[in-house]
Amino acid sequence: MHKFLKLTLASALLGCGAMGVVGNLMTKEAKAVEIITHWVPHEVYGQIGEPDNNGKVFFSGLGAKYMGYPKHENPPAYPGKYSKFWRTLPAYRYYIPDYMYNRDEVRPSNPIKGTFQLEQCIACHSVMTPGIVRDYKKSAHSRAEPSPTGCDTCHGNNHQKLTMPSSKACGTSECHETQYSEQGQGGIGSHASCSSFAQVECAWSIERPPGDTAGCTFCHTSPEERCSTCHQRHQFDPKVARKSEQCKTCHWGKDHRDWEAYDIGLHGTVYQINKWDPKQFDWTKKLADADYVGPTCQYCHMRGGHHNVQRFGTVYTSMGMSMADRGAPIWKEKRDRWASVCDDCHSPRFARENLQAMDEAVKDAGLKYRETFQVAADLVKDGVADPMPKDLCPDWSGQHVWSLKIGAYHDDPAFGGKAGESGEFRMSNVSDIERLCFESVGYFQTYIFKGMAHGSWNDATYNDGSFGMDRWLVNIKQDATQARRLAALEKKVGITWVPESYWKTGEWLDHLTGPYIVKNHPGKTIFDLCPDPGWLDTHHAPAEEVEYINRKIKELGWATPEHGGHH
Amino acid sequence: MHKFLKLTLASALLGCGAMGVVGNLMTKEAKAVEIITHWVPHEVYGQIGEPDNNGKVFFSGLGAKYMGYPKHENPPAYPGKYSKFWRTLPAYRYYIPDYMYNRDEVRPSNPIKGTFQLEQCIACHSVMTPGIVRDYKKSAHSRAEPSPTGCDTCHGNNHQKLTMPSSKACGTSECHETQYSEQGQGGIGSHASCSSFAQVECAWSIERPPGDTAGCTFCHTSPEERCSTCHQRHQFDPKVARKSEQCKTCHWGKDHRDWEAYDIGLHGTVYQINKWDPKQFDWTKKLADADYVGPTCQYCHMRGGHHNVQRFGTVYTSMGMSMADRGAPIWKEKRDRWASVCDDCHSPRFARENLQAMDEAVKDAGLKYRETFQVAADLVKDGVADPMPKDLCPDWSGQHVWSLKIGAYHDDPAFGGKAGESGEFRMSNVSDIERLCFESVGYFQTYIFKGMAHGSWNDATYNDGSFGMDRWLVNIKQDATQARRLAALEKKVGITWVPESYWKTGEWLDHLTGPYIVKNHPGKTIFDLCPDPGWLDTHHAPAEEVEYINRKIKELGWATPEHGGHH
Amino acid sequence: MHKFLKLTLASALLGCGAMGVVGNLMTKEAKAVEIITHWVPHEVYGQIGEPDNNGKVFFSGLGAKYMGYPKHENPPAYPGKYSKFWRTLPAYRYYIPDYMYNRDEVRPSNPIKGTFQLEQCIACHSVMTPGIVRDYKKSAHSRAEPSPTGCDTCHGNNHQKLTMPSSKACGTSECHETQYSEQGQGGIGSHASCSSFAQVECAWSIERPPGDTAGCTFCHTSPEERCSTCHQRHQFDPKVARKSEQCKTCHWGKDHRDWEAYDIGLHGTVYQINKWDPKQFDWTKKLADADYVGPTCQYCHMRGGHHNVQRFGTVYTSMGMSMADRGAPIWKEKRDRWASVCDDCHSPRFARENLQAMDEAVKDAGLKYRETFQVAADLVKDGVADPMPKDLCPDWSGQHVWSLKIGAYHDDPAFGGKAGESGEFRMSNVSDIERLCFESVGYFQTYIFKGMAHGSWNDATYNDGSFGMDRWLVNIKQDATQARRLAALEKKVGITWVPESYWKTGEWLDHLTGPYIVKNHPGKTIFDLCPDPGWLDTHHAPAEEVEYINRKIKELGWATPEHGGHH
């Protein structure tokens, strides 16, 4: 990791020398916080094997520093930190409108000249795009008093300077300020930050051509940048946004398998069976008044209609790949609040014991993952992985750091890079064993977490949950065995195996960012080339979260680190 | 296998020396029955390659001895045979209430004291758990004459001794005795036995920590222990239980892919497209009067509303992993009954020819599986599998039996264990090749069976059906080739490969039951440590099934084995 | 490839010596057309890495010669070319009725004698198959004026000679001629040809037993042979056929993942959330009048109700595995027409930029695939693949051509077969590396194409789209590395590895067509044994397509090849 950033982060957490319990954080937990704030899904490496209830404060969403919408007075222009290397497509403009559509220097040309009022818009677009007009006429916008919220309200009047409304445009004080502001209270991984964070501060979008990662952009921009992802345009009917499927487009698949967890569980079954019966699901009622026969996504995660979907989160972060000391007093209040969501239909004991079952399942998953990781790490340390990090084409930063090296926990020189630097979970161009590790924790452990969290135990254990981790553990042991047997044979007969060149270069690999940096900026890394502060450097924890952690630390008699300051 | 049990089973089938045709059963078929009654999914190893219609009586669901609810006068307390090693979580109590909730010694504490009547329950719970009360008020229970079936009817009045109703509680003579009794007529693999059987007599739950197998418990307890899995509480509206999705939570995924088979087929399409049109699906009608435009799960499997979902089963057992002599006269009646389910909308020929197509598809799958298995077995026999059974951590029984060794058919000393002992299909900590075999037959062959059985040929062939088996056959040959080439090389250069220790021990492996037994009970196996009869020893075939097989055997002029006796 | 066919195809494209631009086609493009017309999914090998807009005319659906229903005066009897080796099941008769049901020599026997009129049919079948009668009575057929379209209209009166109506039977001039004729305008891969083409001209059905490929038959016969696949019998209510799920049974899974692409995208979400609200989806309106809140499959692909679902296709063919020069002028009109489908609700720019995003994603996928293929090809060329083609059991033609050898592009002697001959993408009995290649392009690249085409970017990138290709690229490099290390070791120590015999023979392999041909027709291939023209030799491009390509070529000033002629 870039040294400047690293020091900044550490000092941000620790303030000016807070000691005692917090001082202990220095050695391990500070790095954990550092990690979670910059490198998303690494924490599992460091998750604690000690018994619960030992009182330690571990990292978690609550400890994360950077959250919510930018608070910096002069925020860097989107797309932020690594924008130099971020490649986009013209169609991205619809998903990141303020950056790619609404600025004069990028606004697409338009053949129609003139300024128009609502009636004129409608007259013409009834022919040009009749579906939009038909939907608009059904909307509350068209019936607003004293005057309709018209096409021009959101898109402007000058047809040469039309705007594509962003969520900011909807969140003005005249319109939907409450919802916009509530959404902005979310932390890392929330709707409020998924675009700026995921698109321009993480390797996965930076390192590859835009056609190859269009799907990342599609979902990771949606809720931060546009209200219309969840509120179907141009009717914007809230009763439609209350249905569970509305969350499905993004919250589905591999490492975001929320929809599957819900749909396959009993909650989803109740929903699917009753959803068109107005006696069981009266969609016209506001969320705050909803008395559904079973929960929707929105009913639990946006309880009462609040637009920060993280309010009732667990202690777990990074989609279940991290693990906090779940029984520690500091988390009790947060965990009780989670359990309280179930109280319409379930006893407190039922909810608590389900949370406990989730704890156990995630703990078991962690055990399996650490066994999995160990096999991979030993292979690299013994120098018998094929390919070794040096044999691959440069990573997104232009270096050869092992993809599973996480500075705070696995700071082994054998893993490449400088002390404290971290690799990056990679989907492409890594050894089979690295990819197996990534999948085990990123696909299966997250699934276990999400399944258990949604009361879908079947989902958590079965298909691609704990049975998937079992399988991947077999895979990695098989892989490592073959690598070791080959290495032993080669040593015995005097062969020095030179890894195949296709790991280093190829028709596809040559299109990645790493080789580009090495070729065009010899001796530099992406961190050298992008020294300006990015989104992560200009965001702070929401007041509510800071208040919680400070209050609990005080209650527990610990010294207080300074949270939220920007250095 | 435990010797006592083995002998018991063999003698139970054969009676006191029945000879002739049945005598021939001794050598092979008796063992088959033994297998199916104790070890679930093994039969495919022994499935017959001979032409159909040769008149042989093979094992199948009909030959299975142990079925339905316990009939022993003094049944062993749940959870039964291997309960010593079964690890549970507190939340399991909601899924196995009679064992884990309703007994005084385990009943959870409750902060509220006093005895209450219905009105009082409602007054308080309208605040505490309003969703439950709202649903109850919509239920037929609340409108029952002469007096409502109230909270107290099912949960009791004493708030310190509340009960969680099991299916037994619903199945009393005053209430739903017929349905409870019908369900109890199911055989192995039925709703009536899936909990007791799967949870405490099979390795998969016994060998692992409870967080890791919570999903097994979730589904495998549901229908045996609780009516509310299929009858949504607290409305318990039968029209809701008639919809296909109600079966989905459990009947889905990998080796239980019924939902997928239905949903992707034309039947499921007709359902999905018409289900909310009351002219096509009138859910208010009883199943016996249903005249749907297309079949639901319940319409075929619970024809007329009968709660034994196995009444219209095929000859196939173990989810299609077994294979009977499908054309043999003994099965004709049963097969004709299967085909008769289609007669509302299809000609008898159509149904029969679809059954025949299923026969062919399963036969082809069996061919592929046997070729798959042979590659794995040869590897073990030649001693070049890596790891060999001895190199793994002890299996659930505390031994090192090869996971694919099935005593009756693959009783090779090279496979480990004593003569007649069987291994156990395992998902974890086996060699890659063993796991490939398990998946090929357990995931893909079952899918082929289920797809064809539901008229979803596409499903059976395509995605993960026969194309999946093709792929796994490539995998296993590739694996075996690499193992053999490595072994040949090592032999040539004089390396004696010592399998890696991670197959034997590790942070995760050390939490399994096998190592625990070896460490804490040296020299013993799980069979030694659990000598008491379990569920399998106290159950008998339903009278209806015994009648069928005895009648057919008589019609065919064969000697009659004594079925159903307990020795 | 059969030499006669090859020459025929080449001369068909090139006419009598057209030179210039078209002359250049001779070397590469002519072969491409040859390939696409006979061997389905190969084109990706030859896709062009040059920049767009270079003006070249590449192969695509438009260049394909053989399309639509047979136009030959004396068409060969279905099932056509390789019928000698095509194995069917009796139940296939319901899916290919004209060939397997309605001819006297194959018509199944019927126990009922006599000729009957509608009332009599109904009287008896109200008891025998009441569901059918109930549905018929709800149909428009039963209310037709002046007299009902009765059972006998479609099935005949003579109960000994009942017919099973094919789509041809529905498409007569008295009934649904327009729809039948429109459907017949589709090209390769369309509803109009999927049965004849896929079942009897492609290896996948010919090489294997019928139980193993029943699913191919189920879908690939459905729309060509039967209207009732999409029009639920016996109500045949068009409003039901307008719902998206109706397409799902076939258009789903692995390499046909249209349903998933739709369902997971925003279009599918709008559909799922609103489909039962008549204000949003009025199913009683004809497609031509539909004003849905969101698109159904039918709304876009059958715009205005036209039954040729390919009318609004892209330039891409073979489910996205091919790639044309997308920016070339010749395709502009076709691409603009594609974009025009979105104009009810989206601006032209939005549609065009989405098409561009698809171009980019497919181009990136092509880069990855070519890198993938290269690793496999080098392995074969270096002779270190295990197994090599010669080590496998004979392919469907009775030869040992490498499955990935496509004559026009990869005509390397090392790949086996004669010059110009092509292998066949195979799912079974190939080396792991060949199967990986097949999956990479056949499962993942097609998914990328389909996801992007449906506005489901998430789908295209994420689950099994570009991330899947990344993973498979790791797999193949890992595989190749192990093969090369083993080969190097064996060479060094003097081992000559003899591939295992299980690649050549086995209980399953011995049931395939290749070994059958070798054993029963020594020295012959399937091409020698089936010299008669098949479906491919008797079909011609629809006039509309021929007109388009000829007109564009003329506009561009190129010499015109003679399309559509049969030599």
Side-chain angles (χ1 to χ4, degrees), chain A residues 292 349 371 461-463 470, chain B residues 109 134 208 253-255 508:
Chain A
Y292 306 145
R349 172 179 290 112
E371 191 168 312
T461 297
Y462 185 41
N463 251 14
D470 290 342
Chain B
S109 68
R134 178 198 62 229
R208 311 164 86 178
K254 298 288 191 205
D255 48 353
W508 163 250

Side-chain angles (χ1 to χ4, degrees), chain A residues 207-415:
Chain A
E207 74 169 349
R208 311 164 87 178
D212 199 59
T213 52
C216 304
T217 299
F218 185 77
C219 289
H220 276 277
T221 56
S222 285
E224 181 177 349
E225 301 288 340
R226 308 192 307 163
C227 296
S228 62
T229 308
C230 313
H231 293 277
Q232 294 176 9
R233 68 192 182 91
H234 280 91
Q235 295 192 34
F236 299 103
D237 187 342
K239 74 170 186 286
V240 161
R242 289 175 192 131
K243 296 192 180 177
S244 292
E245 286 92 347
Q246 196 64 56
C247 308
K248 182 183 169 188
T249 293
C250 297
H251 289 270
W252 136 97
K254 299 289 189 204
D255 47 354
H256 302 75
R257 223 184 287 236
D258 304 287
W259 170 260
E260 290 88 333
Y262 171 75
D263 189 49
I264 207 65
L266 284 173
H267 287 164
T269 298
V270 171
Y271 173 73
Q272 295 292 3
I273 283 182
N274 296 283
K275 67 184 177 184
W276 287 99
D277 179 350
K279 287 186 208 133
Q280 305 296 349
F281 282 101
D282 182 350
W283 301 111
T284 63
K285 285 187 182 168
K286 286 191 167 193
L287 261 183
D289 303 325
D291 58 350
Y292 306 145
V293 67
T296 58
C297 308
Q298 296 84 340
Y299 184 75
C300 294
H301 290 280
M302 301 180 70
R303 204 127 199 233
H306 199 287
H307 273 57
N308 174 11
V309 295
Q310 291 190 321
R311 279 171 76 227
F312 292 96
T314 59
V315 179
Y316 295 87
T317 59
S318 294
M319 305 184 297
M321 293 187 291
S322 77
M323 194 162 81
D325 178 5
R326 304 145 319 187
I330 194 171
W331 305 130
K332 186 175 186 313
E333 187 174 322
K334 193 170 168 88
R335 287 165 61 90
D336 286 348
R337 187 165 53 170
W338 184 91
S340 76
V341 175
C342 316
D343 69 2
D344 268 4
C345 301
H346 296 287
S347 73
R349 172 179 290 112
F350 181 89
R352 278 197 316 267
E353 290 181 355
N354 264 271
L355 184 53
Q356 179 195 31
M358 180 172 89
D359 290 342
E360 285 301 307
V362 176
K363 193 187 72 184
D364 289 343
L367 284 171
K368 271 189 219 173
Y369 182 67
R370 287 202 298 276
E371 191 168 312
T372 302
F373 173 79
Q374 201 56 51
V375 175
D378 288 347
L379 217 58
V380 171
K381 285 187 191 168
D382 294 345
V384 293
D386 182 9
M388 291 287 284
K390 68 176 169 52
D391 306 321
L392 293 167
C393 96
D395 64 19
W396 76 297
S397 71
Q399 302 181 92
H400 293 272
V401 186
W402 190 45
S403 78
L404 303 180
K405 168 188 162 130
I406 307 303
Y409 298 106
H410 303 127
D411 209 0
D412 198 295
F415 298 161

Side-chain angles (χ1 to χ4, degrees), chain C residues 82-120:
Chain C
Y82 302 119
S83 59
K84 247 178 243 176
F85 295 98
W86 191 41
R87 290 172 275 178
T88 66
L89 289 168
Y92 280 27
R93 74 171 94 242
Y94 301 99
Y95 303 102
I96 317 170
D98 281 344
Y99 176 66
M100 286 184 65
Y101 198 111
N102 297 331
R103 293 184 297 134
D104 282 349
E105 56 269 44
V106 297
R107 180 178 284 110
S109 68
N110 196 297
I112 310 297
K113 287 183 184 164
T115 58
F116 303 98
Q117 305 306 317
L118 174 58
E119 300 70 28
Q120 294 167 298

Side-chain angles (χ1 to χ4, degrees), chain A residues 481-544:
Chain A
T481 287
Q482 292 188 333
R484 289 182 179 282
R485 291 174 78 177
L486 285 166
L489 281 161
E490 286 160 354
K491 192 177 169 191
K492 180 90 175 184
V493 305
I495 286 180
T496 304
W497 179 252
V498 180
E500 293 293 318
S501 64
Y502 50 59
W503 293 107
K504 268 220 152 82
T505 183
E507 206 176 344
W508 163 249
L509 292 182
D510 297 347
H511 282 73
L512 299 182
T513 296
Y516 177 86
I517 291 176
V518 168
K519 186 180 169 196
N520 294 283
H521 305 279
K524 301 282 188 188
T525 72
I526 199 170
F527 309 116
D528 301 320
L529 297 165
C530 302
D532 297 327
W535 180 89
L536 284 171
D537 289 341
T538 60
H539 289 63
H540 310 294
E544 188 187 342

